[in-house]
Amino acid sequence: MMPNFLNLSDAGGDAVAAMIADAIDRKAARAGWAKAKADADAPLAAHVLAMVFEKNSTRTRASFDIAIRQLGGVPMILDAGTTQLGRGETIADTARVLSRYADAIMIRTDDHAKIEELAEFASVPVINGLTDLSHPCQIVADLLTIVEQGKALPGLELAWLGDGNNVLSSLIEAAGLFGFHVRAGCPQGYEPDASFVAAARAKGVRIDIMTDAREAVAGADLVVTDTWVSMGQDHAHNKVAAMAPFQVDERLMAGAKSDAIFLHCLPAHRGDEVVDAVIDGPQSRVWDEAENRVHAQKSILLWALGKL
Ligand code: CP
Ligand code: NVA
């Protein structure tokens, strides 16, 4: 079967653990090097990564671009708005054509069904750079960041605050794969995707969904949040009002363990889901998390191309 990476479970826990280990090794091996210099083994020399963006991106776009270069390969960026995809060429035909040009395709899109269709018709691996449903590449970088902080994943208590969105879906999937627990503090009506919750619970981890933000963070090892309004969602006034009690501020953060770290996939909406004092504070690891997107993408690419 084609090693697509549409969700973390496509790879499974062992492969994601191998990605994290490889990312740690590669990151250490090139410490202090110029950013565009290829890794010593250049394992993807002469390979092309096509990247299709149907939504905006800073980190995913830039980190995959650097990642493929550091692996010795070449990036090819296609903004959907300037391609025929944006004028109605089908996903299936796009998949067939890009498979002739590139060795792997990364796509950021809206409906998850689109990436499934792309994967069905592509003859090269397809990687999910975010859909409305999930954001698995982000979570490989998050897991790498957590492990780097010296925290073992099994048994961790992760508090999520705010919207039950695509990033939370992939975190919940990771909880099931690595044996950590999630306490999701979400307003009523904004709970995480039920199928991801059920799949993680079936693996024996606790996924608690609660409407009290303080209860969610109490004693947590990690506090994680994300935008209240994801790309493509209407900026509903009601939603923002419902989210207000879930803003991560210093008081809320103080309810977590004293050595808890704060993560946010970014972009942050300072003053909404998080205040400056937390995102710029001593417990925040968001810049390491953002850097780790590069190291994580490299391992994801190596896995997808059978080099891990
Ligand atoms: N975290 C993340 O995926 O950021 P971008 O939207 O900038 O890619
Ligand atoms: N949940 C956010 C993540 C952005 C990286 C969104 O989908 O817009």
Side-chain angles (χ1 to χ4, degrees):
M1 245 179 66
M2 189 64 72
N4 297 313
F5 192 64
L6 308 193
N7 280 308
L8 295 168
S9 304
D10 293 344
D14 289 349
V16 176
M19 290 176 198
I20 295 167
D22 176 73
I24 289 171
D25 288 349
R26 283 189 181 275
K27 182 176 178 179
R30 59 174 300 115
W33 287 20
K35 293 185 175 71
K37 183 174 170 176
D39 288 359
D41 56 347
L44 295 185
H47 286 65
V48 177
L49 170 67
M51 292 185 264
V52 182
F53 288 95
E54 292 201 294
K55 284 179 173 177
N56 292 42
S57 170
T58 298
R59 279 143 290 268
T60 304
R61 177 173 174 150
S63 61
F64 264 112
D65 189 306
I66 295 297
I68 186 71
R69 291 175 202 265
Q70 289 187 357
L71 294 169
V74 176
M76 176 198 287
I77 295 186
L78 299 137
D79 285 311
T82 57
T83 64
Q84 300 294 3
L85 191 60
R87 291 184 58 248
E89 186 169 13
T90 67
I91 294 265
D93 289 352
T94 304
R96 291 179 177 111
V97 171
L98 289 182
S99 298
R100 301 291 180 101
Y101 302 148
D103 298 285
I105 304 169
M106 193 286 302
I107 182 168
R108 167 168 287 196
T109 187
D110 40 32
D111 188 352
H112 196 79
K114 286 195 193 173
I115 196 170
E116 289 176 337
E117 189 181 353
L118 190 82
E120 184 184 341
F121 291 97
S123 53
V124 298
V126 173
I127 296 170
N128 178 359
L130 180 146
T131 65
D132 290 345
L133 184 70
S134 59
H135 196 4
C137 294
Q138 177 68 50
I139 301 313
V140 180
D142 288 10
L143 299 176
L144 168 59
T145 308
I146 295 165
V147 170
E148 270 184 349
Q149 293 299 313
K151 294 182 189 289
L153 296 172
L156 279 183
E157 294 284 340
L158 184 150
W160 173 275
L161 292 168
D163 191 22
N165 66 13
N166 45 4
V167 174
L168 179 56
S169 288
S170 293
L171 266 177
I172 288 173
E173 193 178 29
L177 294 177
F178 288 96
F180 61 87
H181 309 291
V182 176
R183 295 203 301 260
C186 305
Q188 219 170 10
Y190 299 104
E191 294 86 1
D193 181 274
S195 62
F196 280 90
V197 172
R201 284 180 178 157
K203 291 185 181 292
V205 295
R206 266 189 290 105
I207 308 294
D208 296 329
I209 299 164
M210 38 192 66
T211 51
D212 185 323
R214 285 165 181 271
E215 204 185 323
V217 295
D221 298 289
L222 305 157
V223 178
V224 191
T225 190
D226 184 16
T227 181
W228 291 339
V229 183
S230 285
M231 290 181 279
Q233 296 178 341
D234 290 335
H235 195 87
H237 181 69
N238 287 351
K239 183 175 185 185
V240 173
M243 293 289 163
F246 299 85
Q247 181 188 66
V248 185
D249 61 13
E250 292 152 290
R251 272 182 44 176
L252 207 51
M253 200 65 206
K257 284 195 181 137
S258 56
D259 67 348
I261 59 170
F262 172 77
L263 297 179
H264 188 313
C265 65
L266 306 175
H269 303 77
R270 292 164 176 259
D272 282 348
E273 74 271 10
V274 63
V275 301
D276 288 346
V278 171
I279 195 168
D280 298 328
Q283 289 166 283
S284 174
R285 297 291 179 274
V286 300
W287 315 121
D288 292 331
E289 182 185 8
E291 177 190 333
N292 281 338
R293 295 297 305 277
V294 175
H295 308 294
Q297 319 296 29
K298 289 167 71 177
S299 300
I300 294 165
L301 287 167
L302 290 173
W303 173 80
L305 289 161
K307 308 263 186 191
L308 201 66

